[in-house]
Amino acid sequence: MLELKSLHKSYKMGSNYLHVLKGINFKVNEGELVAIMGSSGSGKSTLLNILGMLDSADKGSYFLDKIEIKNLDETKAAKYRNEFLGFVFQSFNLINYKNAVENVALPLYYRGISRKKRQTEALNFLQKVGLSNWSTHLPSELSGGQKQRVAIARALVSNPKVLLADEPTGALDSKTSNEVMSIIQKINNEGKTILVVTHEEEIAKMCKRVVKLKDGLIIEDKYIKQKLL
Amino acid sequence: MFSRDTWVEIFQTISKNKLRTFLSGFTVALGIFIFVVLFGFGNGLKNQFKEFFLDDATNVLTIFPGTTSKPFMGFKSKRQIRFENSDLSGIKENFTFFLENISPRITRYAQVTYKLESNNYRTKGVSPSEQFFEKNIVTNGRYINSNDVKNKEKYAVIGRLVVQDLFKPNENPVGKFINIDSSVFKVIGVFKDLGGDNEERVVVIPYTTRQLIEKNNSYVDQIRVSYKRELGYIGGIGFENKLKIFLKEKKYIDPTDTKGIFIRNVSKELKQNQDFSTVLQYIITFVGIGTLIAGVIGISNIMVFVVKERTKELGIRKALGATPNSVIGTILIESIFITTIFGYIGMFGGIILLNSLGSTLAENYFIKDPFINFSTAVFATIILIIFGAVAGYIPAKRASKIKPIIALRDE
């Protein structure tokens, strides 16, 4: 489903180059639930950005569903993001003047799907995350856990091949964290490929595979026994 | 780009950000409003200047006698100059090339009586050309003619308001007899004049008749001449100078004496006024364009701010699949939409204000019937919209280049 081959990335910091990713080889099969772990500075966010086509690699190759992702212009990157990927962020990143269902429907708008269909699809996915009663509420009227669930519904609505979650529980208490993770597990069990970036062992244990990054290299990659919620 | 969804998106952003929308719209509306009003005021000033000259022909010179300030050829200084009939005929004979019409004028105030009604009016002893100079319009009967002048007829042509004052409504004054002081005159015509009430409370009689009443003398107060229009403005100045020389010689006035004879040249005054109002119009246009530019800068400022404020939102949208073009499109259409709506509000506001003013400012500020051509107003508004779009495009372009990772980075 997703394959990285000797991926390198460095950033220019003044006159020096900061080598962030020093050759990542990494393969994810369909239906996996992978936790990417690492302390800050390990390169895990950079890796996720490259996976999410929000940033491009300097060297190496990236295949997503057998399509090589390279030399993307902004328009094409936007199209691929819309079709292949769903994002869940630590800070939810909902649009604050749109209500829940409008937020969820947004990726479909950029795909050019008719209004009616967007609405039904969005409501569908809100129901999936258990928020069908909150569809007309603004983000400001929702709790943190609810916001993250809206964000997950939004990430799923376009039926992406891969769901990328960047510290999805980072801003949540442990109870709501578990709620969110149980939804992620449920989606994964339905067959969705999911990558979760986290620094919490607790969260990593809820995944099926843990990849540890340190100083731009993968130091550990193992399948674990998933802690089901 | 112009689907219903685009508009739904735009209306949503507008209605959720009312203050922002109002502020940017207000800048635009104010810019256009001030432009329209200023431009209209400029036109109003021009109107007023035109008005000053509307009731008189413009190719006219009026010659006034003065008092000499220098002794000349045995005459002492401070001699009062008086024009006579021979001066009239002298001008007629010597200036056939220039001359179109000529009329003397002897102005006297007199008691005019018809039956029991009586009032004081200005009477003018003139020749038939006076009708041309004053642009009098005969509404009834006829004006005085050259036979009346030759025969020193006691005929009078009276102004519209004289008729109103002295005659009963529906009474035809033509053919009736009136007393001017102690002489009886027959009314042969009624005229109206666009120059205001003052010009319609006048009684016109042949100048020879006035001279006859005044012991059959041959003096006239002033002489008015008009020159052929094809001579133009420069020809008029030439005529003025030649006349001065001719009359000074005829009246034994030192050629260097500036006080003996005065000539008022209407076209010269008109030209000065027109030049003035043209300059004024330029200044006003300049200020107006400045206002427009200020409006454009206002919009672009607000757009920069809007994009800054929406950085995160645009980042989210881009992460969800918004293309750079759709980002530019949304911002641009929104900005054009706001500019168009508020631009036209400002424009119509300005036009309504101008129309409601009418001539209320004419009395004190010399602004009469200010107006702006509808097309000028629309043109200015469209210019503002176009520049507003350009001003919006630059920040929109910048917004489209926002990297989602940077926009989404947690503060």
Side-chain angles (χ1 to χ4, degrees):
Chain A
M1 173 57 71
L2 190 151
E3 192 173 2
L4 297 179
K5 280 181 190 160
S6 60
L7 200 77
H8 286 261
K9 177 75 185 175
S10 52
Y11 290 108
K12 204 178 174 186
M13 305 287 276
S15 53
N16 320 341
Y17 283 89
L18 189 65
H19 209 166
V20 185
L21 297 180
K22 300 169 180 168
I24 303 281
N25 291 294
F26 178 44
K27 197 176 172 188
V28 180
N29 294 316
E30 193 165 354
E32 283 199 87
L33 175 51
V34 185
I36 298 170
M37 290 199 70
S39 55
S40 67
S42 61
K44 62 182 194 300
S45 290
T46 308
L47 180 62
L48 195 80
N49 287 337
I50 290 171
L51 290 175
M53 298 175 214
L54 301 172
D55 207 347
S56 58
D58 298 338
K59 257 197 286 181
S61 54
Y62 170 23
F63 289 88
L64 181 64
D65 199 25
K66 290 169 195 141
I67 298 168
E68 181 160 20
I69 307 297
K70 64 171 187 184
N71 302 330
L72 289 183
D73 61 35
E74 281 272 353
T75 310
K76 207 156 190 192
K79 190 169 167 278
Y80 281 177
R81 278 201 291 271
N82 186 270
E83 280 184 22
F84 297 151
L85 301 169
F87 290 94
V88 176
F89 304 94
Q90 180 177 1
S91 52
F92 323 126
N93 284 334
L94 300 176
I95 291 173
N96 55 20
Y97 60 82
K98 287 182 178 290
N99 65 31
V101 68
E102 285 166 344
N103 263 293
V104 174
L106 204 57
L108 298 179
Y109 167 68
Y110 287 116
R111 194 176 277 191
I113 285 170
S114 77
R115 195 174 168 72
K116 237 180 186 164
K117 200 156 174 225
R118 290 207 305 262
Q119 189 77 7
T120 43
E121 281 290 289
L123 279 172
N124 240 343
F125 277 87
L126 270 182
Q127 198 181 7
K128 239 181 189 170
V129 297
L131 286 175
S132 43
N133 290 336
W134 298 82
S135 62
T136 56
H137 287 248
L138 290 174
S140 55
E141 297 160 346
L142 300 174
S143 72
Q146 286 173 324
K147 280 188 214 174
Q148 197 59 300
R149 282 192 273 161
V150 173
I152 291 170
R154 184 177 67 181
L156 292 174
V157 76
S158 57
N159 192 26
K161 297 192 186 304
V162 179
L163 183 69
L164 299 173
D166 188 4
E167 304 273 8
T169 59
L172 303 174
D173 61 41
S174 56
K175 188 171 165 281
T176 33
S177 289
N178 286 347
E179 277 173 31
V180 167
M181 283 312 291
S182 87
I183 290 172
I184 286 179
Q185 286 182 344
K186 192 179 111 194
I187 297 158
N188 174 246
N189 290 337
E190 286 168 12
K192 190 72 68 191
T193 315
I194 303 176
L195 271 71
V196 178
V197 168
T198 183
H199 63 273
E200 290 175 69
E201 288 287 347
E202 278 302 305
I203 300 297
K205 279 178 189 161
M206 297 171 194
C207 300
K208 291 174 177 168
R209 179 181 165 192
V210 177
V211 174
K212 282 193 179 162
L213 274 169
K214 195 179 178 187
D215 298 330
L217 285 168
I218 293 176
I219 52 162
E220 197 184 316
D221 185 353
K222 62 177 181 190
Y223 289 86
I224 59 164
K225 185 169 176 351
Q226 186 182 23
K227 183 186 163 195
L228 268 172
L229 287 164
Chain B
M1 193 181 259
F2 290 98
S3 65
R4 179 172 168 234
D5 287 328
T6 319
W7 290 105
V8 171
E9 276 287 306
I10 286 167
F11 280 120
Q12 198 174 35
T13 18
I14 287 175
S15 61
K16 295 282 163 61
N17 300 285
K18 288 197 184 73
L19 180 67
R20 189 178 79 198
T21 308
F22 173 75
L23 282 179
S24 48
F26 183 72
T27 319
V28 176
L30 192 69
I32 276 289
F33 179 81
I34 291 175
F35 177 81
V36 167
V37 170
L38 275 179
F39 207 87
F41 278 8
N43 282 333
L45 274 175
K46 263 189 162 170
N47 272 348
Q48 183 69 48
F49 282 131
K50 256 187 218 153
E51 182 96 332
F52 286 148
F53 295 92
L54 191 68
D55 64 317
D56 292 321
T58 53
N59 55 333
V60 171
L61 309 180
T62 309
I63 311 160
F64 302 89
T67 310
T68 58
S69 60
K70 291 178 182 173
F72 189 65
M73 288 181 70
F75 290 102
K76 288 179 182 169
S77 69
K78 291 188 182 157
R79 175 169 55 101
Q80 175 69 48
I81 302 296
R82 290 186 88 177
F83 294 138
E84 292 169 73
N85 289 349
S86 63
D87 299 324
L88 282 178
S89 47
I91 293 171
K92 266 187 217 167
E93 282 157 24
N94 288 285
F95 291 98
T96 45
F97 173 72
F98 293 98
L99 199 64
E100 187 185 55
N101 287 308
I102 181 163
S103 172
R105 202 188 234 187
I106 308 168
T107 305
R108 299 285 182 270
Y109 286 86
Q111 183 85 12
V112 179
T113 312
Y114 174 71
K115 290 187 179 161
L116 296 172
E117 298 293 335
S118 170
N119 209 342
N120 232 353
Y121 295 103
R122 185 152 58 101
T123 73
K124 294 196 297 191
V126 297
S127 73
S129 300
E130 179 75 6
Q131 186 185 4
F132 156 80
F133 293 137
E134 290 291 331
K135 289 191 178 165
N136 288 156
I137 301 154
V138 175
T139 54
N140 197 356
R142 66 171 176 86
Y143 213 73
I144 57 169
N145 61 28
S146 49
N147 275 335
D148 301 338
V149 173
K150 208 165 103 193
N151 300 329
K152 305 182 185 180
E153 297 286 3
K154 288 196 169 174
Y155 287 163
V157 185
I158 60 179
R160 184 178 65 89
L161 293 176
V162 178
V163 177
Q164 212 174 73
D165 291 348
L166 300 182
F167 290 84
K168 289 196 186 75
N170 301 326
E171 190 176 3
N172 184 5
V174 175
K176 304 281 165 24
F177 289 90
I178 55 172
N179 279 357
I180 299 177
D181 285 340
S182 52
S183 309
V184 179
F185 281 74
K186 186 182 181 184
V187 178
I188 57 165
V190 177
F191 69 86
K192 66 174 184 178
D193 194 285
L194 299 175
D197 290 3
N198 212 18
E199 297 291 325
E200 292 185 322
R201 287 213 158 82
V202 168
V203 175
V204 172
I205 58 174
Y207 74 98
T208 48
T209 313
R210 172 54 71 192
Q211 287 172 338
L212 182 70
I213 291 167
E214 294 182 348
K215 296 171 188 156
N216 207 6
N217 66 20
S218 63
Y219 293 121
V220 298
D221 290 351
Q222 298 149 15
I223 300 169
R224 294 178 106 187
V225 293
S226 67
Y227 52 88
K228 291 171 183 149
R229 281 181 193 277
E230 55 268 28
L231 297 173
Y233 172 71
I234 304 291
I237 304 264
F239 185 31
E240 179 187 340
N241 293 335
K242 286 207 168 72
L243 261 181
K244 231 177 225 171
I245 294 164
F246 170 77
L247 286 171
K248 277 178 180 172
E249 199 181 303
K250 194 162 184 301
K251 293 298 194 187
Y252 310 109
I253 303 168
D254 188 326
T256 61
D257 191 343
T258 54
K259 296 279 163 64
I261 283 170
F262 301 97
I263 297 182
R264 176 173 170 241
N265 187 338
V266 175
S267 69
K268 210 155 124 185
E269 289 173 22
L270 179 65
K271 186 164 188 305
Q272 279 165 358
N273 274 299
Q274 275 171 343
D275 288 351
F276 178 65
S277 58
T278 305
V279 168
L280 216 63
Q281 187 82 35
Y282 282 144
I283 293 171
I284 284 169
T285 309
F286 180 75
V287 173
I289 289 171
T291 325
L292 282 187
I293 291 172
V296 169
I297 292 171
I299 305 169
S300 67
N301 260 335
I302 287 165
M303 289 315 291
V304 168
F305 171 74
V306 163
V307 167
K308 186 107 187 139
E309 195 195 45
R310 290 177 70 179
T311 300
K312 186 157 180 136
E313 180 203 325
L314 297 172
I316 297 169
R317 284 171 181 271
K318 290 191 82 179
L320 297 180
T323 57
N325 283 341
S326 83
V327 171
I328 295 178
T330 318
I331 292 180
L332 215 53
I333 295 174
E334 188 186 321
S335 110
I336 292 172
F337 180 74
I338 294 173
T339 343
T340 309
I341 297 290
F342 282 89
Y344 279 98
I345 289 175
M347 185 188 94
F348 283 111
I351 290 175
I352 288 166
L353 178 72
L354 290 181
N355 284 345
S356 70
L357 284 175
S359 46
T360 49
L361 295 177
E363 195 87 357
N364 296 324
Y365 301 102
F366 300 110
I367 294 167
K368 189 183 161 66
D369 295 332
F371 75 102
I372 183 165
N373 283 333
F374 193 67
S375 55
T376 313
V378 170
F379 179 73
T381 311
I382 288 172
I383 288 284
L384 191 70
I385 291 167
I386 290 172
F387 280 97
V390 172
Y393 180 77
I394 296 160
K397 181 84 191 160
R398 183 137 39 106
S400 79
K401 286 190 177 144
I402 293 172
K403 288 211 164 176
I405 25 167
I406 292 166
L408 297 177
R409 196 168 281 160
D410 296 315
E411 285 96 32

